[in-house]
Amino acid sequence: MLKLSCNVTNHLHTFSFFSDSSFFIPVNRRTIAVSSSQLRKPALDPLRAVISADQGSISPVNSCTPADRFRPGRLMEDGYSYKEKFIVRSYEVGINKTATVETIANLLQEVACNHVQKCGFSTDGFATTLTMRKLHLIWVTARMHIEIYKYPAWSDVVEIETWCQSEGRIGTRRDWILRDSATNEVIGRATSKWVMMNQDTRRLQRVTDEVRDEYLVFCPREPRLAFPEENNSSLKKIPKLEDPAQYSMLELKPRRADLDMNQHVNNVTYIGWVLESIPQEIIDTHELQVITLDYRRECQQDDIVDSLTTSEIPDDPISKFTGTNGSAMSSIQGHNESQFLHMLRLSENGQEINRGRTQWRKKSSR
């Protein structure tokens, strides 16, 4: 049985429920018991109810919005995970006619936003609770880990499943599984960690019990991980890259289009900046398999950024040479895998913005 606390005045209030348990809702200092089975709507649609403080009555309402009619996504039977299909469009592919890693990251962000919208949990698309909005609190990315086993090609349809859950006392996490819609083959997985920040002071804040209680109702009761394997690569720490770096791309400037609704550089932009300092020979002969990014500082529109890269494999042939601005000085023909450490820093004072690790595999002949 789940206890849900809320403040009800003499108005209509909308709540979302995703459980077969009963809910105790105080109305004008009285408590009424509500069984979600009494409010069940057609399968896979978020359950919403209107509570009248005057009569203490509850009735289901239609939560469909104009945008919902065009979203092909749906909540799964458990009410916690969400699936949506996407077609890979021509402007989302690179020179290989396959989706870029930035496209993949943008789709992960899109399906996450659609998930919380579908739940009726957050109207701003960033999964902020009522308490968070009152206190001007937002979620910001602390870590992103993406593994891509097979890149979808132009016109392929990708199905992405996502869910969120608590991550200790400091934040929350969100996981994804990507499948080829035609074959149901898992073509990628991803996980992320998020922390809470005050939108006015730009300082991190601890997740309070009040906020935690508001979003836990939308999270699986038991831990569910996209990477359940012990000692998987998503758990590995990333060491700080020290100067001098082998490869660099200096003085990168955020575009206006790089800013998101939280007024800072979108986390997907960092991926593009990291890849700017990858040696060109790696880009020509390899494809990105794994990327892990730790976000350590905000980046604003006026900041100027340096992208630094160094090979992490000691006997990597490319590590014996030094290049700048993304140009390699050695041949790596026949080398199947490469791994790099990355750092993004402010050009002005060297403060670290982001550190990362990438793993690359030899491109397959098509």
Side-chain angles (χ1 to χ4, degrees), residues 259-293:
L259 302 182
D260 63 19
M261 289 184 283
N262 284 333
Q263 303 172 30
H264 58 202
V265 173
N266 186 276
N267 62 71
V268 177
T269 300
Y270 294 83
I271 296 177
W273 285 345
V274 163
L275 300 183
E276 282 298 309
S277 57
I278 286 288
Q280 185 60 45
E281 288 192 31
I282 289 289
I283 299 296
D284 292 341
T285 59
H286 289 61
E287 63 182 7
L288 182 63
Q289 179 175 346
V290 180
I291 182 168
T292 309
L293 295 179

Side-chain angles (χ1 to χ4, degrees), residues 34-144:
V34 183
S35 172
S36 63
S37 62
Q38 299 172 348
L39 302 173
R40 184 170 290 117
K41 293 181 65 181
L44 307 183
D45 198 35
L47 181 62
R48 308 191 71 181
V50 171
I51 303 177
S52 171
D54 293 328
Q55 302 177 359
S57 61
I58 300 176
S59 60
V61 296
N62 187 354
S63 64
C64 186
T65 67
D68 289 332
R69 298 186 182 97
F70 293 94
R71 288 192 186 109
R74 68 194 189 281
L75 284 166
M76 304 310 295
E77 292 182 357
D78 61 7
Y80 301 123
S81 64
Y82 173 84
K83 285 185 179 181
E84 187 168 348
K85 293 181 180 181
F86 299 90
I87 186 171
V88 178
R89 305 183 187 278
S90 60
Y91 53 82
E92 296 173 324
V93 303
I95 58 176
N96 299 317
K97 296 184 180 180
T98 57
T100 64
V101 66
E102 291 98 329
T103 292
I104 299 295
N106 276 318
L107 291 179
L108 298 182
Q109 185 168 277
E110 178 68 13
V111 74
C113 292
N114 290 347
H115 176 204
V116 296
Q117 294 275 20
K118 187 70 172 178
C119 289
F121 171 49
S122 177
T123 57
D124 62 3
F126 285 100
T128 55
T129 69
L130 178 62
T131 300
M132 291 178 66
R133 291 193 289 274
K134 286 181 178 178
L135 300 177
H136 296 185
L137 302 174
I138 58 175
W139 294 112
V140 293
T141 314
R143 167 171 274 219
M144 175 68 74

Side-chain angles (χ1 to χ4, degrees), residues 207-246:
V207 179
T208 64
D209 290 338
E210 186 176 8
V211 170
R212 191 181 307 279
D213 290 343
E214 286 178 322
Y215 75 77
L216 279 181
V217 68
F218 301 98
C219 300
R221 295 294 176 261
E222 299 295 330
R224 182 187 175 196
L225 306 176
F227 298 92
E229 303 89 349
E230 188 176 357
N231 298 323
N232 65 81
S233 59
S234 73
L235 303 175
K236 293 182 179 179
K237 291 185 177 181
I238 304 175
K240 183 177 180 179
L241 179 60
E242 302 293 345
D243 277 337
Q246 291 174 289

